[in-house]
Amino acid sequence: MSFLARLRQLFEPAKTEERTAVAGGTQTGAETPPMPETGRGSTREAADFEALEELLIDAGIDVETTMAILHDVRKGTIGRPTVDQVVGRVRAQLAAALDLDSALHVDGSPAVILVTGVNGVGKTSSIAKLANMLKDGGMTILLVAADTFRAGAIDQLAVLGERIGVPVMRSIEGQDPSSVVFNGLQKAIADSVDVVIVDTAGRMENKKNLTAELQKILRTIETKFGRSPSEVLLVIDATTGENALMQARAFSDAVPVSGIILTKVDSGARGGSIIGIARELRIPIKLVCDGETMTSIKPFDKDDVVNMILLSE
Ligand SMILES: Nc1nc2c(ncn2[C@@H]2O[C@H](COP(=O)(O)OP(=O)(O)OP(=O)(O)O)[C@@H](O)[C@H]2O)c(=O)[nH]1
Ligand SMILES: [Mg+2]
């Protein structure tokens, strides 16, 4: 059952009716007035709020946002809130948490976009989708295969680049990722390319190596080319539960993450943890991927993401 359906079930009028009937009342559901502030009403309200709190936490919503929602629902209603009041306040708080600068910055010549994330979240495919989107917008792109941990990763980017008609700076397995980025940027400058998008490894011998490599790539861009990436994007798989927040914390501790690409929202996403990331780390979602085709990418839309969370099972 979706988060929204469970919310509705918790606060639906029928429940009030049933409870009132048990208590000896005769009112009918839809017209049931709010419960008076009696001792019994307060106990029931407390139980409702406890259930609401449980529901929000269970949906992956962070504690701070959960508390803000409970506070809003309490302060805005006298007696028992209606379903629509509760849903409206949940929506408003989720939207407020997501209210960050979601514009994708592609400044610089070339602009550099570094794409990071743990293995399997959708980095390489999102890069191809993003390149395709920017190319359609009239920009020239170079993809850089700086995930040199696996030969397969290099081939995957090369195949996708060919499919969308975007050149790829290839590498060889085991090559220093920073040297690939250096070569790529040199080529991009020589060819007057608008945007360089760098694929990175999601898996290494250990996490320390992974973040050290990212930091080295950033240093190379800074020291050799005197610039910073216009975006450091972290890819988060929307089907990941609370681990998503831990991933975001770890990456943003290591590198200046400027935005999130939220992937796999088409695959039964849970997604609630994205709210904690936005609220705690102030990292905006910039792009959303919802399928496996090269056009399954779109700029972040607040209502879409709020709906995704509300409709998640
Ligand atoms: N349904 C769906 N599948 C996706 C989406 N994005 C990526 N995938 C799939 O997820 C799998 C992993 O995607 P990759 O792009 O290879 O992920 P990665 O992060 O580059 O993986 P590593 O290079 O191994 O770290 C592939 O099978 C993709 O087709 C999406 O938005 N929707
Ligand atoms: Mg990859």
Side-chain angles (χ1 to χ4, degrees), residues 240-252:
T240 310
E242 61 185 326
N243 197 250
L245 178 56
M246 290 175 223
Q247 290 171 15
R249 279 186 190 137
F251 277 90
S252 60

Side-chain angles (χ1 to χ4, degrees), residues 29 46 93 112 128 132 136 156 167 181 186 192 197 211 236 267 270 301 304:
Q93 275 294 341
V112 180
N132 194 45
D136 279 351
Q156 185 190 358
V181 172
Q186 254 192 342
S192 301
I197 311 179
T211 51
I236 295 282
S267 333
R270 293 191 59 214
D301 179 281
D304 277 359

Side-chain angles (χ1 to χ4, degrees), residues 106-133:
V106 279
D107 333 300
S109 47
V112 180
I113 300 179
L114 187 65
V115 179
T116 65
V118 301
N119 65 292
V121 286
K123 291 179 297 298
T124 309
S125 31
S126 299
I127 286 167
K129 292 169 192 170
L130 173 60
N132 194 45
M133 186 177 98

